[in-house]
Amino acid sequence: MAPSQHSEPLRLACRHFRPKITDVTVEFVRGIVPGEVVEVPTYAAVDPLALHVESKRLAKQYGQIFLRELATSSSSTVVQRTLQEAFRHAAQTPRSLVNKALDLWAGSKFCQFERSFDGSETLGLEAVSDPTSPMFNKIPIPPVLDHQCDTAIIQWMKDLGCQLMALLWRKVCAKKREDWFEIFLTSFVLINNIEYVYGIQKDFVRIAFCSEQAFHLGNLIFVAKAVQRSKMPTIACPPQGNGVAIDTPGILSYYPTAGDALRFWSLREDKNIHSDIPRGFPAHVEAPMVWQGSDMETQSDAWIMHFTEADVLALEGAMRDFHDQALQFSRIDPVNFHLPDELAKRLDNVSEECYSGRGFCVIRGLDPARYTDEENVILYAGISSYVAPERGFLDRARQHVLCHVLPAAFNVEQDTKVTPGFTNDAMSFHTDDGDILALYAMNTDQRGGRTLIASGWKVYNELALARTDVLHTLTQDWVLDTYQDYSKWPPIKTPLLFTNGKEVMFNFSRYPLCGFRGYKRNPSLPAPTEAQLKALDAVHFFAQKNAMPLPTKTGDILYLNNMSMLHAREPFEDQATQGIRSRRHMLKLQLRDPKRMWRLPNNLVHLWRFLFTPNREDGCKDEGFIITPEQGHYRGWSKNG
């Protein structure tokens, strides 16, 4: 399938499927004979992920082709030359927002071209012989496959659009003079794309539903206001899987949809029902941990600590010494993993930065490919013991302190019981448990999948300024589903926002409220209230607005304050699909530094005891380390997303 004879076709593996009664297996063709139809075989794409990856890649590639076609259209010279300048700017500045805007621009056009077979395989179809048909002399693809193509590209465009608008808004609010041209070109491309989509919809409405006169500005405004006031559903693509889902206002999803974003940022009718800050909470937080993502991105020299060659040699020596002692991994500590004083001090400063500084730090300089699985674990745990010596249990059985975060499988069914962290889907903004979250990047060989972090204290300040009603909702009790046997793991009643009188702390996730894939919230539990739904969206979108993506490289170790920082993850596709090692692979620890830990509010004390207290009757602690992940590795963990 290709938009022109000069472009690369989309190559896909297809297979037969057994149609349901409602499946479309015939296609009407406009032509001389009224009601003429073409029967099509029941074929669909075998691998939806491969379709998603290829559609996204080709949509980007076709951008230049669509630009050349624009030169032969009736578009004005100003439009053509401005778009040409946008493509030139994007090529010279790969990180510019203009690139994302042009991807959306190309994606819209990619969705609209007529798709036909290109090559010897036709799936038994013949070319349309009617000269009045738009598909004359072409072989149309089956409608199910056509729908899959649309869904794949729309899914990508939806995620890209939300990300782009958040980044563009951040640029606009920064009011930096050097950004004006990037903002202008990005806005121009987006407006040109809106004009294009508007024209397509106008033609569709005129042909399918009503006269052109009924499709006017007044009706568009009426529909837009209806959507904003949650009076009617809007169409949106789900963040994973195939098909089109109805994004109905008031229905909670794990990852907020494009409709949720539109309603949140567009509505201005909501007024604070509280003008005061919740009792005991500060009116405003002033600290290094309050930062704007766009500003923090420019300060990477301050928050990336680089291992020198001498550091790596010292680490490898400590790793070999520990290995030679044949000690249990639970004995990994600064005594048994000895480092030079200067390096030990720098690692201790990472802890200080997490508890009292900007709230996070990245350590760079290791190459996991140089070491065995066991050696990587020793290095990671040994380094972390200098940052925060106490390791928390990550599983419900309180046996394991090390978790491998990687997809369970790319072909798991949508109803499979798997938490967000063990998929390649986007993860919404959340916190995990424990003081410090540590992630060691064993493999980052994938497209997408960046970790996004935001200052929870910056989010708090914005809510305190504009949405104190959300703060009141967050500090009230919520009923969280555990999705486990209630005789062992009953629902949890707790706030999502806390203070100890000094620090503000989040323990926040959408997952216990809305579930994910096969995990469905128990209908016997109280349904989330409208105020709670708004609060979940508010935290996510203010975090998204203020977030920054971490430029993660293989071998990086992230240490993140898990109580004051919020983090999320972009969806991703692997460069390869064979074997566990080909996937995005992180090693996870939850840590605590007893000499710097914050005083916990009562609601969190029990949870932290579960994480950090001994698991043996004699008061000792047996810590399990899973060295190499195996099939089913994603089961049994207490929280991941």
Side-chain angles (χ1 to χ4, degrees), residues 27-38 128 130 133-135 140:
E27 184 171 346
F28 286 88
V29 180
R30 287 179 292 171
I32 299 174
V33 181
E36 181 183 8
V37 298
V38 174
V128 176
D130 184 352
S133 170
M135 295 294 286

Side-chain angles (χ1 to χ4, degrees), residues 189-214:
V189 173
L190 290 174
I191 291 171
N192 181 263
N193 188 55
I194 291 172
E195 183 181 30
Y196 172 78
V197 174
Y198 175 89
I200 295 295
Q201 295 302 314
K202 180 178 179 180
D203 290 341
F204 176 77
V205 170
R206 185 180 66 250
I207 293 170
F209 295 111
C210 59
S211 66
E212 182 176 347
Q213 287 72 26

Side-chain angles (χ1 to χ4, degrees), residues 56 100 159-160 163-164 167 239 255 420 423-429 446-453 544 548-550 567-573 584:
K56 172 181 171 181
K100 297 182 184 295
D159 293 335
L160 178 63
Q163 181 190 54
L164 174 58
L167 293 172
Y255 197 91
T423 71
N424 62 323
D425 296 337
M427 294 176 70
S428 61
F429 279 94
Q446 82 281 325
R447 299 187 183 101
R450 293 182 301 178
T451 298
L452 311 173
I453 65 172
Q544 188 180 65
M548 75 165 184
L550 286 175
H567 64 282
R569 186 189 69 198
E570 296 175 338
F572 64 92
E573 304 127 13
R584 181 187 190 272

